[in-house]
Amino acid sequence: RRGSTSSPIVSPNVRSLHRSASFGTRSAADPSSGVLESALAAALTVRARAESAAKRLALAEKELEAHRKGALDEKVHVRLREATKRADRAERAAKDAKEEVDKLVEEQVHLVRVQAIQDRAVAEEMIEKLRDEASVVCNSLGSALKKAGEKDKPIALFRRALQHRAARRDTNPLELAPVLINLGAALMQTGAPSEA
């Protein structure tokens, strides 16, 4: 059997010859004793060869098992290396995706800020125009009411026109002159020359 170190199977005749030769049951003068001794020597040689072969077989089986285990370990290491490489690639891909997302977010935030600045500038410009228009309307309406004989309402309208005109960021003092003249005339008409 594989891996066994037991003696090989020897026929009963060889065993009988071995016992006879061992215990000296046959005479040395027996002509068949030389044949028996030769057969016994051959049997012992075969037995020794069988035992040696059995030892070599056992050693070969151990080496084969070790080789199989080593090959299995190598496969495991190969799979681990491949898994590590895949994990590294996935990590790099995730890092690249994060950097791309961060870049896109930064660009969008910048665009939103630029748009907000532009919208604010447009809104402020519209407010300036509305203030100019409100100032002109109040001044014109005050002048019309003054000509119609009103006294208090024109003064309130002229003062409101001054407020709208003065609220501008780049107000030119000369632009206030027409409204100030109308306000002074209205105050003179109401009998308040000192305030005028």
Short mmCIF file of all heavy atoms in Angstrom, two decimals, residues 94-157:
data_model
loop_
_atom_site.label_atom_id
_atom_site.label_comp_id
_atom_site.label_asym_id
_atom_site.label_seq_id
_atom_site.Cartn_x
_atom_site.Cartn_y
_atom_site.Cartn_z
N ALA A 94 -12.25 56.68 -6.77
CA ALA A 94 -13.08 57.46 -5.85
C ALA A 94 -12.44 58.81 -5.55
O ALA A 94 -13.13 59.84 -5.49
CB ALA A 94 -13.28 56.67 -4.55
N LYS A 95 -11.10 58.81 -5.38
CA LYS A 95 -10.41 60.08 -5.13
C LYS A 95 -10.52 61.02 -6.31
O LYS A 95 -10.79 62.22 -6.15
CB LYS A 95 -8.94 59.79 -4.82
CG LYS A 95 -8.14 61.02 -4.44
CD LYS A 95 -6.71 60.64 -4.11
CE LYS A 95 -5.89 61.88 -3.75
NZ LYS A 95 -4.48 61.51 -3.44
N ASP A 96 -10.34 60.46 -7.52
CA ASP A 96 -10.47 61.29 -8.73
C ASP A 96 -11.89 61.84 -8.87
O ASP A 96 -12.09 63.01 -9.23
CB ASP A 96 -10.11 60.47 -9.97
CG ASP A 96 -8.64 60.09 -9.99
OD1 ASP A 96 -7.85 60.75 -9.27
OD2 ASP A 96 -8.28 59.14 -10.70
N ALA A 97 -12.88 60.98 -8.57
CA ALA A 97 -14.28 61.43 -8.67
C ALA A 97 -14.56 62.54 -7.66
O ALA A 97 -15.23 63.53 -7.98
CB ALA A 97 -15.22 60.26 -8.44
N LYS A 98 -14.02 62.39 -6.44
CA LYS A 98 -14.22 63.43 -5.41
C LYS A 98 -13.58 64.74 -5.85
O LYS A 98 -14.17 65.82 -5.68
CB LYS A 98 -13.63 62.96 -4.08
CG LYS A 98 -13.85 63.95 -2.94
CD LYS A 98 -13.25 63.42 -1.66
CE LYS A 98 -13.50 64.40 -0.51
NZ LYS A 98 -12.92 65.72 -0.76
N GLU A 99 -12.36 64.66 -6.39
CA GLU A 99 -11.70 65.88 -6.85
C GLU A 99 -12.48 66.54 -7.98
O GLU A 99 -12.62 67.77 -8.02
CB GLU A 99 -10.28 65.55 -7.32
CG GLU A 99 -9.33 65.15 -6.18
CD GLU A 99 -7.96 64.77 -6.69
OE1 GLU A 99 -7.79 64.71 -7.94
OE2 GLU A 99 -7.06 64.53 -5.85
N GLU A 100 -13.03 65.73 -8.87
CA GLU A 100 -13.82 66.29 -9.97
C GLU A 100 -15.09 66.94 -9.45
O GLU A 100 -15.46 68.03 -9.90
CB GLU A 100 -14.16 65.17 -10.96
CG GLU A 100 -14.86 65.67 -12.21
CD GLU A 100 -15.08 64.57 -13.23
OE1 GLU A 100 -14.60 63.44 -13.00
OE2 GLU A 100 -15.74 64.85 -14.25
N VAL A 101 -15.74 66.26 -8.49
CA VAL A 101 -16.97 66.84 -7.91
C VAL A 101 -16.65 68.15 -7.19
O VAL A 101 -17.38 69.14 -7.32
CB VAL A 101 -17.62 65.82 -6.96
CG1 VAL A 101 -18.72 66.49 -6.14
CG2 VAL A 101 -18.20 64.66 -7.74
N ASP A 102 -15.55 68.14 -6.41
CA ASP A 102 -15.16 69.37 -5.70
C ASP A 102 -14.88 70.51 -6.67
O ASP A 102 -15.25 71.66 -6.43
CB ASP A 102 -13.92 69.10 -4.84
CG ASP A 102 -14.21 68.17 -3.67
OD1 ASP A 102 -15.40 68.03 -3.34
OD2 ASP A 102 -13.26 67.59 -3.12
N LYS A 103 -14.23 70.17 -7.78
CA LYS A 103 -13.93 71.18 -8.78
C LYS A 103 -15.20 71.73 -9.40
O LYS A 103 -15.36 72.95 -9.58
CB LYS A 103 -13.03 70.58 -9.87
CG LYS A 103 -12.60 71.57 -10.92
CD LYS A 103 -11.67 70.93 -11.93
CE LYS A 103 -11.24 71.92 -13.00
NZ LYS A 103 -10.34 71.29 -14.00
N LEU A 104 -16.15 70.83 -9.72
CA LEU A 104 -17.42 71.27 -10.30
C LEU A 104 -18.19 72.14 -9.31
O LEU A 104 -18.78 73.16 -9.70
CB LEU A 104 -18.25 70.05 -10.71
CG LEU A 104 -17.74 69.26 -11.91
CD1 LEU A 104 -18.57 68.01 -12.11
CD2 LEU A 104 -17.77 70.11 -13.17
N VAL A 105 -18.20 71.72 -8.05
CA VAL A 105 -18.90 72.50 -7.03
C VAL A 105 -18.28 73.88 -6.90
O VAL A 105 -18.98 74.90 -6.81
CB VAL A 105 -18.87 71.76 -5.67
CG1 VAL A 105 -19.36 72.67 -4.56
CG2 VAL A 105 -19.73 70.50 -5.74
N GLU A 106 -16.95 73.93 -6.90
CA GLU A 106 -16.25 75.22 -6.79
C GLU A 106 -16.59 76.11 -7.99
O GLU A 106 -16.82 77.32 -7.83
CB GLU A 106 -14.75 74.98 -6.72
CG GLU A 106 -13.94 76.24 -6.48
CD GLU A 106 -12.46 75.96 -6.33
OE1 GLU A 106 -12.09 74.77 -6.34
OE2 GLU A 106 -11.68 76.92 -6.23
N GLU A 107 -16.62 75.52 -9.17
CA GLU A 107 -16.96 76.30 -10.37
C GLU A 107 -18.39 76.82 -10.29
O GLU A 107 -18.67 77.98 -10.63
CB GLU A 107 -16.78 75.43 -11.61
CG GLU A 107 -15.33 75.12 -11.93
CD GLU A 107 -15.19 74.19 -13.12
OE1 GLU A 107 -16.24 73.73 -13.63
OE2 GLU A 107 -14.05 73.94 -13.55
N GLN A 108 -19.31 75.95 -9.83
CA GLN A 108 -20.70 76.38 -9.72
C GLN A 108 -20.87 77.48 -8.68
O GLN A 108 -21.62 78.44 -8.89
CB GLN A 108 -21.59 75.17 -9.36
CG GLN A 108 -21.71 74.15 -10.46
CD GLN A 108 -22.34 74.72 -11.72
OE1 GLN A 108 -23.28 75.49 -11.64
NE2 GLN A 108 -21.82 74.34 -12.87
N VAL A 109 -20.16 77.34 -7.55
CA VAL A 109 -20.23 78.38 -6.51
C VAL A 109 -19.70 79.71 -7.07
O VAL A 109 -20.28 80.77 -6.82
CB VAL A 109 -19.43 77.94 -5.27
CG1 VAL A 109 -19.26 79.11 -4.30
CG2 VAL A 109 -20.11 76.78 -4.58
N HIS A 110 -18.61 79.63 -7.82
CA HIS A 110 -18.06 80.85 -8.42
C HIS A 110 -19.05 81.48 -9.39
O HIS A 110 -19.26 82.71 -9.37
CB HIS A 110 -16.76 80.51 -9.15
CG HIS A 110 -16.14 81.68 -9.85
ND1 HIS A 110 -15.58 82.74 -9.17
CD2 HIS A 110 -16.05 81.98 -11.18
CE1 HIS A 110 -15.13 83.63 -10.05
NE2 HIS A 110 -15.41 83.20 -11.27
N LEU A 111 -19.69 80.64 -10.21
CA LEU A 111 -20.68 81.16 -11.16
C LEU A 111 -21.86 81.80 -10.43
O LEU A 111 -22.37 82.84 -10.85
CB LEU A 111 -21.17 80.03 -12.07
CG LEU A 111 -20.15 79.49 -13.08
CD1 LEU A 111 -20.73 78.31 -13.84
CD2 LEU A 111 -19.71 80.59 -14.05
N VAL A 112 -22.29 81.15 -9.35
CA VAL A 112 -23.41 81.70 -8.57
C VAL A 112 -23.04 83.05 -7.97
O VAL A 112 -23.84 84.00 -7.97
CB VAL A 112 -23.83 80.70 -7.47
CG1 VAL A 112 -24.81 81.36 -6.50
CG2 VAL A 112 -24.48 79.47 -8.10
N ARG A 113 -21.80 83.16 -7.46
CA ARG A 113 -21.36 84.43 -6.87
C ARG A 113 -21.28 85.52 -7.93
O ARG A 113 -21.72 86.65 -7.69
CB ARG A 113 -19.98 84.25 -6.22
CG ARG A 113 -20.02 83.43 -4.93
CD ARG A 113 -18.63 83.21 -4.38
NE ARG A 113 -18.68 82.47 -3.12
CZ ARG A 113 -17.59 82.02 -2.49
NH1 ARG A 113 -16.39 82.24 -3.01
NH2 ARG A 113 -17.71 81.35 -1.36
N VAL A 114 -20.73 85.17 -9.09
CA VAL A 114 -20.65 86.15 -10.17
C VAL A 114 -22.04 86.60 -10.59
O VAL A 114 -22.30 87.81 -10.78
CB VAL A 114 -19.88 85.56 -11.37
CG1 VAL A 114 -19.99 86.48 -12.58
CG2 VAL A 114 -18.42 85.34 -11.00
N GLN A 115 -22.95 85.61 -10.71
CA GLN A 115 -24.33 85.95 -11.10
C GLN A 115 -25.00 86.81 -10.04
O GLN A 115 -25.74 87.76 -10.36
CB GLN A 115 -25.13 84.66 -11.31
CG GLN A 115 -26.52 84.88 -11.88
CD GLN A 115 -26.48 85.49 -13.27
OE1 GLN A 115 -25.65 85.11 -14.09
NE2 GLN A 115 -27.34 86.44 -13.52
N ALA A 116 -24.72 86.50 -8.76
CA ALA A 116 -25.32 87.30 -7.69
C ALA A 116 -24.81 88.74 -7.73
O ALA A 116 -25.57 89.70 -7.54
CB ALA A 116 -24.99 86.67 -6.33
N ILE A 117 -23.50 88.90 -8.00
CA ILE A 117 -22.93 90.25 -8.10
C ILE A 117 -23.56 91.01 -9.27
O ILE A 117 -23.92 92.19 -9.16
CB ILE A 117 -21.40 90.17 -8.26
CG1 ILE A 117 -20.78 89.63 -6.97
CG2 ILE A 117 -20.82 91.53 -8.60
CD1 ILE A 117 -19.30 89.34 -7.08
N GLN A 118 -23.69 90.31 -10.39
CA GLN A 118 -24.31 90.95 -11.56
C GLN A 118 -25.76 91.32 -11.28
O GLN A 118 -26.21 92.42 -11.64
CB GLN A 118 -24.21 90.02 -12.77
CG GLN A 118 -22.78 89.80 -13.26
CD GLN A 118 -22.70 88.80 -14.39
OE1 GLN A 118 -23.67 88.12 -14.70
NE2 GLN A 118 -21.53 88.70 -15.01
N ASP A 119 -26.49 90.41 -10.67
CA ASP A 119 -27.90 90.69 -10.35
C ASP A 119 -28.02 91.86 -9.38
O ASP A 119 -28.93 92.69 -9.51
CB ASP A 119 -28.55 89.44 -9.74
CG ASP A 119 -28.69 88.31 -10.75
OD1 ASP A 119 -28.57 88.57 -11.96
OD2 ASP A 119 -28.90 87.16 -10.33
N ARG A 120 -27.10 91.91 -8.42
CA ARG A 120 -27.14 93.03 -7.47
C ARG A 120 -26.86 94.35 -8.17
O ARG A 120 -27.52 95.36 -7.88
CB ARG A 120 -26.11 92.78 -6.37
CG ARG A 120 -26.09 93.87 -5.31
CD ARG A 120 -25.12 93.54 -4.21
NE ARG A 120 -25.08 94.59 -3.20
CZ ARG A 120 -24.31 94.54 -2.13
NH1 ARG A 120 -23.51 93.51 -1.92
NH2 ARG A 120 -24.34 95.53 -1.26
N ALA A 121 -25.90 94.33 -9.08
CA ALA A 121 -25.59 95.56 -9.82
C ALA A 121 -26.78 96.01 -10.65
O ALA A 121 -27.12 97.20 -10.70
CB ALA A 121 -24.37 95.33 -10.71
N VAL A 122 -27.43 95.03 -11.29
CA VAL A 122 -28.62 95.36 -12.10
C VAL A 122 -29.73 95.91 -11.21
O VAL A 122 -30.40 96.91 -11.55
CB VAL A 122 -29.10 94.12 -12.87
CG1 VAL A 122 -30.45 94.39 -13.53
CG2 VAL A 122 -28.06 93.71 -13.91
N ALA A 123 -29.94 95.28 -10.05
CA ALA A 123 -30.99 95.73 -9.14
C ALA A 123 -30.71 97.14 -8.63
O ALA A 123 -31.61 97.99 -8.56
CB ALA A 123 -31.10 94.75 -7.96
N GLU A 124 -29.43 97.40 -8.27
CA GLU A 124 -29.09 98.73 -7.79
C GLU A 124 -29.27 99.78 -8.88
O GLU A 124 -29.72 100.90 -8.62
CB GLU A 124 -27.65 98.74 -7.28
CG GLU A 124 -27.46 97.97 -5.99
CD GLU A 124 -26.02 97.96 -5.53
OE1 GLU A 124 -25.15 98.41 -6.32
OE2 GLU A 124 -25.75 97.49 -4.40
N GLU A 125 -28.94 99.40 -10.11
CA GLU A 125 -29.14 100.32 -11.21
C GLU A 125 -30.63 100.63 -11.42
O GLU A 125 -31.02 101.78 -11.66
CB GLU A 125 -28.54 99.74 -12.50
CG GLU A 125 -28.60 100.67 -13.68
CD GLU A 125 -27.95 100.08 -14.91
OE1 GLU A 125 -27.38 98.96 -14.79
OE2 GLU A 125 -28.01 100.70 -15.98
N MET A 126 -31.44 99.58 -11.30
CA MET A 126 -32.89 99.79 -11.43
C MET A 126 -33.42 100.68 -10.30
O MET A 126 -34.28 101.54 -10.53
CB MET A 126 -33.62 98.44 -11.42
CG MET A 126 -33.35 97.59 -12.67
SD MET A 126 -34.19 96.00 -12.59
CE MET A 126 -35.90 96.53 -12.56
N ILE A 127 -32.89 100.45 -9.08
CA ILE A 127 -33.32 101.27 -7.95
C ILE A 127 -32.94 102.73 -8.18
O ILE A 127 -33.73 103.65 -7.88
CB ILE A 127 -32.72 100.73 -6.64
CG1 ILE A 127 -33.33 99.37 -6.30
CG2 ILE A 127 -32.92 101.72 -5.51
CD1 ILE A 127 -32.68 98.68 -5.12
N GLU A 128 -31.75 102.97 -8.72
CA GLU A 128 -31.32 104.34 -9.01
C GLU A 128 -32.25 105.00 -10.01
O GLU A 128 -32.65 106.18 -9.85
CB GLU A 128 -29.89 104.33 -9.56
CG GLU A 128 -28.82 103.90 -8.56
CD GLU A 128 -28.66 104.89 -7.44
OE1 GLU A 128 -28.57 106.09 -7.73
OE2 GLU A 128 -28.66 104.47 -6.27
N LYS A 129 -32.62 104.25 -11.04
CA LYS A 129 -33.53 104.80 -12.04
C LYS A 129 -34.90 105.09 -11.43
O LYS A 129 -35.52 106.13 -11.72
CB LYS A 129 -33.68 103.82 -13.20
CG LYS A 129 -32.43 103.71 -14.06
CD LYS A 129 -32.65 102.75 -15.21
CE LYS A 129 -31.40 102.65 -16.08
NZ LYS A 129 -31.60 101.70 -17.21
N LEU A 130 -35.38 104.16 -10.58
CA LEU A 130 -36.67 104.39 -9.93
C LEU A 130 -36.62 105.61 -9.01
O LEU A 130 -37.59 106.38 -8.92
CB LEU A 130 -37.08 103.14 -9.13
CG LEU A 130 -37.46 101.92 -9.96
CD1 LEU A 130 -37.70 100.72 -9.05
CD2 LEU A 130 -38.73 102.21 -10.79
N ARG A 131 -35.50 105.83 -8.33
CA ARG A 131 -35.37 107.02 -7.48
C ARG A 131 -35.38 108.29 -8.31
O ARG A 131 -36.00 109.30 -7.92
CB ARG A 131 -34.08 106.93 -6.67
CG ARG A 131 -34.15 105.94 -5.51
CD ARG A 131 -32.81 105.76 -4.84
NE ARG A 131 -32.92 104.87 -3.69
CZ ARG A 131 -31.88 104.30 -3.09
NH1 ARG A 131 -30.65 104.54 -3.53
NH2 ARG A 131 -32.07 103.51 -2.04
N ASP A 132 -34.69 108.23 -9.44
CA ASP A 132 -34.70 109.41 -10.32
C ASP A 132 -36.12 109.70 -10.80
O ASP A 132 -36.58 110.86 -10.78
CB ASP A 132 -33.79 109.17 -11.53
CG ASP A 132 -32.32 109.22 -11.17
OD1 ASP A 132 -32.01 109.78 -10.09
OD2 ASP A 132 -31.50 108.71 -11.95
N GLU A 133 -36.81 108.65 -11.23
CA GLU A 133 -38.17 108.84 -11.72
C GLU A 133 -39.09 109.33 -10.62
O GLU A 133 -39.94 110.21 -10.84
CB GLU A 133 -38.69 107.52 -12.30
CG GLU A 133 -37.97 107.07 -13.57
CD GLU A 133 -38.45 105.74 -14.09
OE1 GLU A 133 -39.38 105.17 -13.47
OE2 GLU A 133 -37.93 105.26 -15.12
N ALA A 134 -38.93 108.74 -9.41
CA ALA A 134 -39.77 109.19 -8.28
C ALA A 134 -39.50 110.64 -7.93
O ALA A 134 -40.43 111.42 -7.63
CB ALA A 134 -39.52 108.29 -7.07
N SER A 135 -38.22 111.03 -7.98
CA SER A 135 -37.87 112.43 -7.70
C SER A 135 -38.50 113.37 -8.73
O SER A 135 -39.05 114.43 -8.38
CB SER A 135 -36.36 112.59 -7.68
OG SER A 135 -36.00 113.93 -7.46
N VAL A 136 -38.42 112.98 -10.01
CA VAL A 136 -39.01 113.82 -11.07
C VAL A 136 -40.51 113.91 -10.91
O VAL A 136 -41.12 114.99 -11.05
CB VAL A 136 -38.63 113.24 -12.45
CG1 VAL A 136 -39.41 113.97 -13.55
CG2 VAL A 136 -37.13 113.37 -12.68
N VAL A 137 -41.15 112.76 -10.61
CA VAL A 137 -42.62 112.76 -10.45
C VAL A 137 -43.03 113.63 -9.28
O VAL A 137 -43.98 114.45 -9.38
CB VAL A 137 -43.12 111.31 -10.27
CG1 VAL A 137 -44.59 111.31 -9.85
CG2 VAL A 137 -42.93 110.53 -11.56
N CYS A 138 -42.36 113.47 -8.12
CA CYS A 138 -42.71 114.27 -6.94
C CYS A 138 -42.49 115.77 -7.21
O CYS A 138 -43.32 116.61 -6.81
CB CYS A 138 -41.88 113.83 -5.74
SG CYS A 138 -42.32 112.19 -5.09
N ASN A 139 -41.40 116.11 -7.87
CA ASN A 139 -41.12 117.52 -8.18
C ASN A 139 -42.17 118.09 -9.14
O ASN A 139 -42.67 119.22 -8.95
CB ASN A 139 -39.73 117.64 -8.78
CG ASN A 139 -39.28 119.08 -8.94
OD1 ASN A 139 -39.46 119.89 -8.03
ND2 ASN A 139 -38.74 119.41 -10.08
N SER A 140 -42.51 117.30 -10.16
CA SER A 140 -43.51 117.78 -11.13
C SER A 140 -44.88 117.91 -10.49
O SER A 140 -45.60 118.90 -10.73
CB SER A 140 -43.58 116.81 -12.31
OG SER A 140 -42.33 116.73 -12.97
N LEU A 141 -45.25 116.92 -9.70
CA LEU A 141 -46.55 116.97 -9.04
C LEU A 141 -46.61 118.13 -8.04
O LEU A 141 -47.63 118.83 -7.93
CB LEU A 141 -46.83 115.64 -8.33
CG LEU A 141 -48.20 115.49 -7.67
CD1 LEU A 141 -49.32 115.70 -8.69
CD2 LEU A 141 -48.33 114.13 -7.00
N GLY A 142 -45.50 118.35 -7.32
CA GLY A 142 -45.46 119.49 -6.38
C GLY A 142 -45.61 120.81 -7.11
O GLY A 142 -46.33 121.73 -6.64
N SER A 143 -44.96 120.93 -8.26
CA SER A 143 -45.07 122.17 -9.05
C SER A 143 -46.51 122.37 -9.53
O SER A 143 -47.04 123.50 -9.50
CB SER A 143 -44.12 122.10 -10.25
OG SER A 143 -42.79 122.02 -9.82
N ALA A 144 -47.15 121.29 -9.96
CA ALA A 144 -48.53 121.40 -10.43
C ALA A 144 -49.46 121.81 -9.31
O ALA A 144 -50.35 122.66 -9.49
CB ALA A 144 -48.98 120.07 -11.03
N LEU A 145 -49.30 121.23 -8.14
CA LEU A 145 -50.15 121.57 -7.00
C LEU A 145 -49.88 123.02 -6.53
O LEU A 145 -50.79 123.72 -6.09
CB LEU A 145 -49.91 120.59 -5.84
CG LEU A 145 -50.41 119.15 -6.08
CD1 LEU A 145 -50.02 118.25 -4.90
CD2 LEU A 145 -51.93 119.14 -6.26
N LYS A 146 -48.62 123.46 -6.62
CA LYS A 146 -48.28 124.83 -6.23
C LYS A 146 -48.98 125.83 -7.15
O LYS A 146 -49.51 126.86 -6.70
CB LYS A 146 -46.77 125.01 -6.28
CG LYS A 146 -46.29 126.41 -5.90
CD LYS A 146 -44.77 126.41 -5.87
CE LYS A 146 -44.27 127.84 -5.69
NZ LYS A 146 -44.53 128.70 -6.86
N LYS A 147 -48.97 125.51 -8.47
CA LYS A 147 -49.66 126.39 -9.41
C LYS A 147 -51.16 126.37 -9.19
O LYS A 147 -51.85 127.36 -9.47
CB LYS A 147 -49.35 125.96 -10.84
CG LYS A 147 -47.91 126.24 -11.27
CD LYS A 147 -47.66 125.77 -12.69
CE LYS A 147 -46.23 126.03 -13.11
NZ LYS A 147 -45.97 125.56 -14.50
N ALA A 148 -51.65 125.23 -8.68
CA ALA A 148 -53.09 125.13 -8.43
C ALA A 148 -53.50 125.83 -7.14
O ALA A 148 -54.69 125.86 -6.80
CB ALA A 148 -53.51 123.66 -8.38
N GLY A 149 -52.54 126.37 -6.41
CA GLY A 149 -52.88 127.11 -5.21
C GLY A 149 -52.69 126.34 -3.92
O GLY A 149 -52.96 126.86 -2.83
N GLU A 150 -52.24 125.09 -4.03
CA GLU A 150 -52.00 124.31 -2.81
C GLU A 150 -50.75 124.84 -2.11
O GLU A 150 -49.83 125.36 -2.74
CB GLU A 150 -51.81 122.83 -3.16
CG GLU A 150 -53.03 122.16 -3.75
CD GLU A 150 -54.09 121.87 -2.70
OE1 GLU A 150 -53.74 121.89 -1.49
OE2 GLU A 150 -55.25 121.62 -3.07
N LYS A 151 -50.69 124.67 -0.81
CA LYS A 151 -49.56 125.19 -0.04
C LYS A 151 -48.76 124.07 0.66
O LYS A 151 -47.54 124.01 0.53
CB LYS A 151 -50.05 126.20 0.99
CG LYS A 151 -50.61 127.46 0.37
CD LYS A 151 -51.03 128.47 1.44
CE LYS A 151 -51.56 129.74 0.79
NZ LYS A 151 -51.96 130.75 1.81
N ASP A 152 -49.45 123.23 1.43
CA ASP A 152 -48.74 122.21 2.22
C ASP A 152 -48.32 121.00 1.38
O ASP A 152 -47.22 120.47 1.54
CB ASP A 152 -49.61 121.75 3.39
CG ASP A 152 -49.87 122.89 4.39
OD1 ASP A 152 -48.98 123.76 4.47
OD2 ASP A 152 -50.91 122.86 5.06
N LYS A 153 -49.20 120.52 0.50
CA LYS A 153 -48.91 119.32 -0.29
C LYS A 153 -47.69 119.49 -1.20
O LYS A 153 -46.85 118.60 -1.29
CB LYS A 153 -50.12 118.91 -1.10
CG LYS A 153 -51.25 118.36 -0.24
CD LYS A 153 -52.43 117.93 -1.11
CE LYS A 153 -53.56 117.36 -0.23
NZ LYS A 153 -54.72 116.94 -1.05
N PRO A 154 -47.55 120.69 -1.86
CA PRO A 154 -46.35 120.85 -2.69
C PRO A 154 -45.06 120.77 -1.88
O PRO A 154 -44.06 120.20 -2.34
CB PRO A 154 -46.54 122.24 -3.31
CG PRO A 154 -47.99 122.45 -3.32
CD PRO A 154 -48.49 121.79 -2.06
N ILE A 155 -45.07 121.32 -0.68
CA ILE A 155 -43.86 121.29 0.16
C ILE A 155 -43.47 119.84 0.49
O ILE A 155 -42.30 119.44 0.41
CB ILE A 155 -44.08 122.11 1.44
CG1 ILE A 155 -44.23 123.60 1.08
CG2 ILE A 155 -42.93 121.90 2.42
CD1 ILE A 155 -44.60 124.48 2.25
N ALA A 156 -44.48 119.02 0.87
CA ALA A 156 -44.21 117.60 1.19
C ALA A 156 -43.66 116.87 -0.02
O ALA A 156 -42.73 116.05 0.09
CB ALA A 156 -45.49 116.95 1.71
N LEU A 157 -44.23 117.16 -1.21
CA LEU A 157 -43.77 116.50 -2.42
C LEU A 157 -42.34 116.92 -2.80
O LEU A 157 -41.52 116.10 -3.24
CB LEU A 157 -44.73 116.78 -3.57
CG LEU A 157 -46.08 116.06 -3.46
CD1 LEU A 157 -47.05 116.60 -4.49
CD2 LEU A 157 -45.89 114.56 -3.62
#
